[in-house]
């Protein structure tokens, strides 16, 4: 069986609700462009939290062929540009990478 890797990352942003949402929307738009730019990126899904009782703001789920591709994706200039949107706004980050 050929395995792939899911790369799941959650972000908690700083600022008031309106600031966090604005940053999250810009971040989501940038991330959703990446599958057309980064060859090893099979898919990208990005969710913005709609539940005000929860404290995490954004979750992304990316699918790549293997663990080495996680690093390739992470170092790609387009990914780095998308990640830079969170500069000064990222309070916390949590990540899980697993084969399936």
């Amino acid at each position: 069986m050929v395995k792939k890797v899911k790369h799941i990352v959650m972000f908690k942003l700083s600022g008031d609700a309106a600031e966090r949402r604005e940053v999250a929307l810009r971040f989501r738009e940038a991330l959703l462009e990446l599958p057309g730019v980064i060859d090893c990126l099979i898919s990208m899904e990005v969710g913005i939290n709609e539940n005000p009782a929860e404290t995490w703001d954004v979750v992304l789920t990316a699918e790549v062929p293997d663990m080495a591709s996680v690093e390739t994706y992470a170092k790609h200039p387009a990914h780095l540009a998308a990640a830079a949107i969170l500069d000064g706004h990222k309070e916390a980050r949590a990540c899980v990478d697993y084969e399936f």
Side-chain angles (χ1 to χ4, degrees):
M1 176 175 145
V2 176
K3 292 187 177 186
K4 293 185 258 182
V5 172
K6 290 266 185 169
H7 172 69
I8 301 174
V9 187
M10 294 190 332
F11 296 93
K12 187 182 295 188
L13 305 177
S14 60
D16 65 28
E19 292 168 330
R20 293 190 331 268
R21 180 138 184 105
E22 189 272 330
V23 170
L25 288 168
R26 285 192 297 126
F27 186 51
R28 178 179 67 187
E29 291 307 311
L31 290 174
L32 291 176
E33 292 179 9
L34 297 181
V37 177
I38 302 174
D39 290 339
C40 67
L41 190 54
I42 298 167
S43 67
M44 172 69 72
E45 181 179 341
V46 183
I48 297 174
N49 187 17
E50 301 293 338
N51 184 348
E54 299 297 335
T55 59
W56 292 85
D57 296 288
V58 180
V59 63
L60 73 87
T61 303
E63 186 177 315
V64 295
D66 50 42
M67 287 302 296
S69 295
V70 174
E71 185 173 348
T72 299
Y73 156 77
K75 292 180 178 180
H76 192 283
H79 172 262
L80 295 174
I85 292 168
L86 299 184
D87 287 352
H89 302 283
K90 183 171 51 176
E91 186 174 306
R93 176 185 180 274
C95 178
V96 174
D97 296 314
Y98 66 91
E99 292 183 331
F100 68 103

